Structure formats: structure tokens, C-alpha cells
Amino acid sequence: MNLPNKITLSRVFMIPVFILFLTVDFGWGMIRLGGVEMPVEHLVGAIIFIIASTTDWLDGYLARKNNLVTNMGKFLDPLADKLLVSAAFILLVEMGAAPAWIVIVIISREFAVTGLRLILAGGGEVVAANQLGKIKTVTQLLAISFLLLHNIFFEAIGIPFGTIMLYIALVFTVWSGVDYFVKNRKILVESM
């Protein structure tokens, strides 16, 4: 197992730790930071999420730079991303920080595109993420991070930045999903 795959696997192992900190009250109290007060456990969970998100960029960069792209990495990397993002969005619903309907739309799009990728892979097609997909990912990660951090820095000035980013992420999530299906409709139809 090469280094990029180990980094991807570490992201998978960070998910239960991240979930633990956002769901268990260890009694560590509250912290005031960046204009908001939040449970210390939420801060730790958010930091774990941000570190895990950063490994997504790092493993891909190292794999491409050092020519270490493997089939396992091609499978594991998007799976790890979807598990991390889905866990975070579901926890945000539980925390009351994100509307369930938005999370359902976002997670449904991820399942749909993953299904399409499997169909394409079965036909020998591998489609790399395009610019819309990358923007989708960045907006999702920003939305999740700021919502996990209780809208840190922006709460003091009354701007719901995390919520604004969530709606922007929703737009790019739907747009990139539709774009993905439209661009690959011929292959999809041929597979039926």
C-alpha cells in the first residue's frame, strides 16, 4: 500500500473519531472563540473534519505527482470523501445546523453520481472530476466547516456564512450532478 492510499485510509479511520466528538458530551465545557461559544467537543470534531478534508487534497496531489495512482486509490478516495461528507451533513442535521431536505438532496446526488460512475467504469470509461465538481466539493467543505464551528468569526457580525455556503453548495451540487448526467447520457442510455 503506497503513501497516498495510506493517507486516504487514515481519512476513513478519522470518520468514527469525528462522529464521536460531535455526538458524545465528554463534559469538557464551552469555549469562546471567534465570536461564538461552542462545546469544546464541537471544536475538536471540526478540527478533525478539517484535517480529514485536507487529506483529500494531499493524497490526490501525492498520487499524481509521484505517479502512484492505483485502482485501490481510485475506488477508496471517492468512497472516503462521500463517507466523510455524508457523516458530517447527517450530524449537522442532528445538531439543527442544516435542514434535512438539503442534506437529502446533496447525499442523493452523491449516490446518483457514484452509480453513474460505476456504470461508466463497467464500460471502461473513467471520468475525472471537472471544474463544477471541484467547486461543489470546496463549497460543501466550507459549508460543513463553518456550520460545525457554529459560524465562527461571522456570527459576531450577524452574517450566517455557514448557511449561505450551504445553499451555494446545494446549487453547485445539483448543477454538477445534472452536468455529469447530461455529459454522459449517451453512455448511460447505451448501458440500458
Side-chain angles (χ1 to χ4, degrees), residues 89 92 96-103 105-106 135-136 138-144 146-147 160-176:
F89 274 128
L92 287 169
W101 73 268
I102 291 178
V103 171
V105 170
I106 289 173
I135 294 169
K136 178 247 348 164
V138 169
T139 57
Q140 284 181 0
L141 296 179
L142 281 171
I144 291 167
F146 277 94
L147 290 171
F161 184 76
T163 303
I164 292 167
M165 286 308 304
L166 180 62
Y167 281 93
I168 292 170
L170 174 66
V171 168
F172 279 104
T173 299
V174 171
W175 184 6
S176 64

Side-chain angles (χ1 to χ4, degrees), residues 86-158:
S86 295
F89 274 128
I90 292 166
L91 288 169
L92 287 169
V93 170
E94 183 176 321
M95 293 167 57
W101 73 268
I102 291 178
V103 171
I104 290 167
V105 170
I106 289 173
I107 292 175
S108 296
R109 178 269 187 208
E110 299 301 338
F111 276 115
V113 168
T114 298
L116 179 57
R117 282 181 187 240
L118 289 172
I119 292 169
L120 295 173
E125 296 281 333
V126 177
V127 181
N130 63 16
Q131 196 62 32
L132 274 177
K134 291 176 183 177
I135 294 169
K136 178 247 348 164
T137 300
V138 169
T139 57
Q140 284 181 0
L141 296 179
L142 281 171
I144 291 167
S145 297
F146 277 94
L147 290 171
L148 288 173
L149 289 167
H150 298 245
N151 204 35
I152 196 167
F153 306 122
F154 291 95
E155 190 65 29
I157 56 175

Side-chain angles (χ1 to χ4, degrees), residues 75-89:
F75 167 75
L76 194 56
D77 184 61
L79 177 64
D81 297 344
K82 286 174 186 19
L83 289 172
L84 178 66
V85 168
S86 295
F89 274 128

